[in-house]
Amino acid sequence: SPSLAIYLHPTDLTPIADPYTFPMGATRIYWVATDEAGNRGTKAQNVVVADTIAPAIAAIADFTVEANSPLGSTVSLPEPVVTDVADNDPLVLDDAPATFALATTPVTVTATDASGNESTESYAVTVVDTTAPVFALASGGRLPATATGFMVGPAILPTPTVTDNGY
């Protein structure tokens, strides 16, 4: 039976070693069969290596933050961990708002590699308000008052200053 070898050029007598590794894209190879009498037959073939595997995004856990404004909160988002078989630097984007409302907001991370393969991973950011309002107290720990002495008629009380979550 004839021996079989693969070459990158029909006149190159150095066969490609098994396992065969080809770069991304098209590579032309040549199958060469040689019989016991030394007769050779050659057939060309194109080997196309294409990236069809989407990037992998590690799961991101849902989390909760405290509101820091009446509109909700600005949030430091976790950095997604993304890997890809062929692209060392896939494009990673998310749809997170600049400010998260007092609610649960879904965030979707999308990773796209150089071949156009895309994957998504979602998590939720919940903004809560668990901080009680704080009164600005006068010295002695009392609310400020301006009325002194005997009063006739309805009392006029000053409105205390109150803040909640820094606003």
Side-chain angles (χ1 to χ4, degrees), residues 60-68 71-78 96-97 99-107 122-130 165:
I60 302 170
D62 299 347
F63 62 97
T64 300
V65 297
E66 183 71 21
N68 60 17
L71 300 175
S73 186
T74 54
V75 176
S76 293
L77 298 175
T99 301
F100 287 78
L102 282 164
T104 298
T105 303
V107 176
S122 295
Y123 62 98
V125 176
T126 302
V127 178
V128 296
D129 182 359
T130 62
N165 292 28

Side-chain angles (χ1 to χ4, degrees), residues 70-165:
L71 300 175
S73 186
T74 54
V75 176
S76 293
L77 298 175
E79 187 69 32
V81 177
V82 179
T83 56
D84 187 71
V85 296
D87 184 352
N88 291 331
D89 191 23
L91 177 65
V92 179
L93 302 171
D94 66 53
D95 64 354
T99 301
F100 287 78
L102 282 164
T104 298
T105 303
V107 176
T108 301
V109 175
T110 302
T112 307
D113 67 18
S115 297
N117 302 307
E118 183 177 286
S119 62
T120 61
E121 176 69 25
S122 295
Y123 62 98
V125 176
T126 302
V127 178
V128 296
D129 182 359
T130 62
T131 305
V134 176
F135 286 90
L137 302 176
S139 62
R142 298 182 182 164
L143 290 174
T146 56
T148 58
F150 181 74
M151 292 178 34
V152 178
I156 299 172
L157 298 175
T159 303
T161 301
V162 180
T163 60
D164 187 23
N165 292 28

